[in-house]
Amino acid sequence: MELLKKIGLLLIVFVAFAVAETDDAPEDDFQRYSVVPILGYTEETEFQIGVMSLFFLRPDEKGGNVPEIGLTAYGSTRGQLQVALEPYYYMFHDQISIWGLLKYQDWVAGYYGRGNDPDIDVFTNFNRKKFQYGTRIESRIGLPTFLKYGVEVHAEYTEIDFEEGGVTDLPDDHSGWRNGAGYLVGLDTRDNINWTRHGYLVQWQQMFYSDRLGDYTFDVEMLDMRGYSTVTSTTTMALGFLWQRADGDVPFDMLAGPDGICRFRGVESLYFGDNQAVIMQAEVRQLIWWRLGSHLFFEGGKAGRYFSELVRNDWHRSVGVGALLGLNLKQNLFARADFSWVDFDHLGLSFYVRQAF
């Protein structure tokens, strides 16, 4: 009965997406916006309701990347509230891209303990209020078109309170300021970033947080590798590998591990997590008809305090299927709803705009 309930809720999510836009614009028209009602259920939020709006700006030149501004607001029956403003801009013939994030979050989530072997039935809820600002600037100026470099700034104020629960060995809440900056370098031959048909991405990023800028000193490293291949005119194969490392006085909610939406979908964020984590993904994406598509995916992940422990630990596994709805076909922008079977033991749901990786 629980399985049928969750499958039904997944269909509700898909129907909610489908009312965003029903008519294709004429070929020579420019799509200005897309509005997506949020009505659904995920493991982390339970029932949720809200709205997601995407506003598109005309590019500086014909055929250039389209700047966009995303505005999302939703609440849930678990007592969660999130409001986020997320703009994307492009400059100098798309050689510079600027991403920004301004987010407020009043959140309830589960802490399952640190490490690779959580018990899904044993957890302690925590309440987190967070105000976050972030900016990332990427550029290809002075380099071949397949190379890029960039900088990122992260500023965040967080207040966390733990409730009574099953996990008694609770970490320090690390409330206060978490401010830092970092850099990235990469090889990027993707044909687009929304639904990549072919190409690859190899990206290295480091972020440094300091008590001179905030309240805690730690660093985060990430190696992100992705490859894409066109199987048919409507089918794409995607492979992903992500290695994360967090070292120093790291807040427990910023340890290496899954986010539950893009990397290892269908679980609460950091369902398993530690100083290091690795996540591998494989996905087949299929455009079916009109604005509709689907995908099948497999994901594996694990965490460990040290690299040797990470290698020895067992893999968490997940298989799943998802539905896609085109929000802006000219920009290959799709909303997705994912249904996953985690560790062949429990079910998960998630939805988001853009592909998982």
Side-chain angles (χ1 to χ4, degrees):
M1 188 68 184
E2 186 70 15
L3 173 62
L4 294 176
K5 173 184 174 183
K6 290 189 175 183
I7 292 175
L9 289 169
L10 179 65
L11 295 177
I12 291 175
V13 172
F14 184 74
V15 171
F17 283 150
V19 301
E21 185 173 336
T22 57
D23 296 323
D24 286 333
E27 187 65 26
D28 56 348
D29 283 355
F30 179 78
Q31 184 174 330
R32 288 289 186 178
Y33 65 90
S34 182
V35 180
V36 185
I38 298 174
L39 173 62
Y41 181 101
T42 71
E43 294 301 297
E44 187 159 348
T45 64
E46 298 179 355
F47 289 97
Q48 57 184 248
I49 185 169
V51 65
M52 177 181 297
S53 303
L54 294 169
F55 301 93
F56 305 103
L57 308 176
R58 288 190 181 274
D60 292 335
E61 57 187 26
K62 185 176 181 180
N65 292 330
V66 174
E68 64 182 72
I69 301 173
L71 178 61
T72 305
Y74 67 88
S76 77
T77 56
R78 199 175 175 183
Q80 298 158 323
L81 171 67
Q82 177 168 300
V83 180
L85 179 68
E86 193 171 8
Y88 288 82
Y89 290 103
Y90 303 93
M91 304 169 61
F92 298 107
H93 310 291
D94 296 338
Q95 292 189 80
I96 294 179
S97 63
I98 302 174
W99 164 86
L101 177 66
L102 191 63
K103 179 167 72 174
Y104 173 76
Q105 189 181 71
D106 188 348
W107 208 251
V108 178
Y111 176 72
Y112 293 85
R114 180 171 179 164
N116 192 57
D117 301 307
D119 184 338
I120 195 172
D121 297 317
V122 179
F123 59 91
T124 294
N125 283 334
F126 63 90
N127 297 284
R128 178 177 59 202
K129 293 183 179 180
K130 177 170 70 174
F131 179 80
Q132 178 182 346
Y133 164 81
T135 298
R136 182 172 61 245
I137 302 174
E138 297 183 6
S139 175
R140 302 174 189 264
I141 294 177
L143 297 177
T145 56
F146 60 87
L147 297 176
K148 67 178 182 178
Y149 55 93
V151 295
E152 183 168 342
V153 175
H154 181 113
E156 173 185 316
Y157 183 79
T158 300
E159 293 181 357
I160 293 179
D161 295 303
F162 284 98
E163 301 176 358
E164 295 291 330
V167 178
T168 57
D169 184 18
L170 297 176
D172 184 90
D173 55 37
H174 280 78
S175 294
W177 287 99
R178 300 126 170 227
N179 300 334
Y183 72 94
L184 64 89
V185 292
L187 291 80
D188 191 352
T189 67
R190 294 174 295 173
D191 62 315
N192 70 85
I193 63 172
N194 292 327
W195 180 327
T196 307
R197 304 289 183 176
H198 57 82
Y200 63 86
L201 170 71
V202 179
Q203 180 171 292
W204 170 260
Q205 182 172 10
Q206 282 187 294
M207 292 290 296
F208 302 96
Y209 298 82
S210 172
D211 56 10
R212 295 184 179 182
L213 300 173
D215 296 320
Y216 308 100
T217 298
F218 59 98
D219 59 273
V220 177
E221 289 83 37
M222 179 174 64
L223 175 63
D224 189 356
M225 299 190 296
R226 314 177 194 180
Y228 307 88
S229 178
T230 300
V231 181
T232 70
S233 60
T234 59
T235 308
T236 304
M237 168 68 76
L239 301 173
F241 172 89
L242 177 70
W243 173 79
Q244 300 169 306
R245 176 180 177 271
D247 189 47
D249 190 14
V250 189
F252 75 93
D253 57 330
M254 296 182 73
L255 289 168
D259 61 15
I261 296 175
C262 295
R263 305 297 180 129
F264 212 86
R265 288 158 273 185
V267 299
E268 291 206 35
S269 57
L270 290 181
Y271 169 61
F272 57 91
D274 215 315
N275 287 100
Q276 297 192 41
V278 61
I279 296 173
M280 302 180 68
Q281 300 171 283
E283 184 166 286
V284 177
R285 301 165 184 168
Q286 176 68 52
L287 183 63
I288 298 174
W289 168 76
W290 188 54
R291 295 174 176 264
L292 304 180
S294 66
H295 52 259
L296 300 171
F297 60 89
F298 172 82
E299 298 181 301
K302 56 181 176 178
R305 183 152 299 192
Y306 309 104
F307 186 76
S308 58
E309 181 181 278
L310 177 68
V311 172
R312 291 194 307 269
N313 282 344
D314 294 331
W315 287 91
H316 294 276
R317 295 157 294 171
S318 174
V319 295
V321 61
L324 299 170
L325 177 76
L327 301 181
N328 189 324
L329 295 183
K330 291 183 178 180
Q331 303 306 315
N332 296 307
L333 183 62
F334 284 75
R336 60 180 170 87
D338 296 317
F339 175 78
S340 55
W341 189 18
V342 179
D343 284 333
F344 308 114
D345 176 64
H346 53 278
L347 304 172
L349 291 171
S350 67
F351 69 91
Y352 201 62
V353 171
R354 294 183 178 85
Q355 303 290 355
F357 65 99

